[in-house]
Amino acid sequence: MIAEFKRAFKATPATSALVAFMVVVYLWEALIAQSFTISSRVLYETGAQFGPIVLHYGEWWRLLTAGFLHVTASHLIFNMITLYFIGRLLELEIGPWRFLILFLTTVISGNLMSLAFGAMNVISAGASGGVFGLFGAIVRLGLMDKRRAYWRSQAKLMTAFVLLSVISALFTPGIDLAAHIGGLIGGFLIVPVFISGFHYSGLFKIGGGRRALALLMYVALIATLVGIALLRK
């Protein structure tokens, strides 16, 4: 197993490091909480998102740190399995640093969407916004890749998975659907910024103007969500 992890880390270091780091963070949470179900108090103290604190005290850093915290072991396991398999696909395509920045930006857009439209007085945490951001990125790649069937087939699979997840979330209490949607939109909008010529498994023709437009649209999304969130103060 150690040899397999070393091979995986060498091939996709960003994805492997993210998964390992989040497992360590969860164990740290559990140690503080003295339980594998993390209390709201411990979540708050370790950096979870809480709307009133973010808006009234300016703790905007929680939009990022909340994406590395998890509430239960099952919550962590589901997100990490998804992140590992989906993340590896994208990291092989765009490279580790671009992948890492993509994940972090979609964590932020997901938590901002939650701040703008989600429940205000609920402490929230989890990597789901970033994971859905990867889904959104894959869907966009499927639309951009006109020369190969691989990303188009992956995009169809991700679209079906997202639809099922959204339907399930509508009937499952405790799921932050707004964060999922925010991450999804963020990943869909910004992924062209991280595509540059020929990569490991594909060929995308992306001009500087298209990258600039993608970045502008992502920034516009962030600015809009911040504005809406501030109106809720």
Side-chain angles (χ1 to χ4, degrees):
M1 181 168 296
I2 294 176
E4 291 178 1
F5 181 80
K6 286 182 178 179
R7 284 195 295 269
F9 187 86
K10 185 176 181 179
T12 52
T15 301
S16 302
L18 279 173
V19 171
F21 181 69
M22 289 192 201
V23 170
V24 171
V25 169
Y26 174 73
L27 294 176
W28 171 58
E29 293 176 72
L31 181 64
I32 296 173
Q34 297 185 349
S35 170
F36 287 107
T37 298
I38 313 303
S39 66
S40 296
R41 177 187 63 82
V42 172
L43 288 170
Y44 174 80
E45 291 175 350
T46 52
Q49 178 168 305
F50 185 49
I53 295 299
V54 174
L55 294 174
H56 293 283
Y57 293 94
E59 296 187 4
W60 294 92
W61 49 268
R62 290 179 179 270
L63 298 175
L64 184 60
T65 57
F68 292 88
L69 303 172
H70 289 85
V71 182
T72 64
S74 60
H75 185 206
L76 173 77
I77 290 169
F78 178 80
N79 277 344
M80 293 306 97
I81 289 174
T82 309
L83 172 60
Y84 181 76
F85 287 104
I86 302 301
R88 283 170 59 83
L89 293 178
L90 277 169
E91 186 175 351
L92 287 171
E93 186 66 60
I94 66 178
W97 287 109
R98 289 187 177 99
F99 169 78
L100 182 60
I101 297 171
L102 171 66
F103 179 78
L104 296 178
T105 55
T106 56
V107 165
I108 292 172
S109 67
N111 284 328
L112 263 178
M113 183 71 78
S114 176
L115 190 64
F117 296 103
M120 181 59 68
N121 295 313
V122 174
I123 292 177
S124 61
S128 299
V131 170
F132 269 73
L134 304 184
F135 293 156
I138 288 176
V139 172
R140 183 68 179 272
L141 290 183
L143 296 176
M144 290 164 53
D145 188 354
K146 304 299 184 183
R147 304 181 65 176
R148 299 165 59 251
Y150 176 76
W151 284 110
R152 290 196 298 273
S153 64
Q154 292 295 328
K156 291 177 182 177
L157 181 62
M158 292 303 106
T159 300
F161 184 83
V162 167
L163 290 174
L164 290 173
S165 297
V166 169
I167 293 172
S168 175
L170 292 174
F171 299 97
T172 306
I175 293 181
D176 192 347
L177 183 57
H180 293 183
I181 294 174
L184 183 75
I185 295 173
F188 184 89
L189 291 179
I190 202 171
V191 72
V193 174
F194 304 106
I195 298 296
S196 178
F198 182 78
H199 294 288
Y200 180 82
S201 61
L203 178 63
F204 299 93
K205 293 183 177 179
I206 306 294
R210 193 167 181 178
R211 291 194 193 92
L213 179 60
L215 181 59
L216 180 63
M217 292 179 70
Y218 175 81
V219 171
L221 170 69
I222 297 301
T224 300
L225 293 177
V226 169
I228 294 171
L230 288 174
L231 290 175
R232 301 184 71 185
K233 289 180 66 173

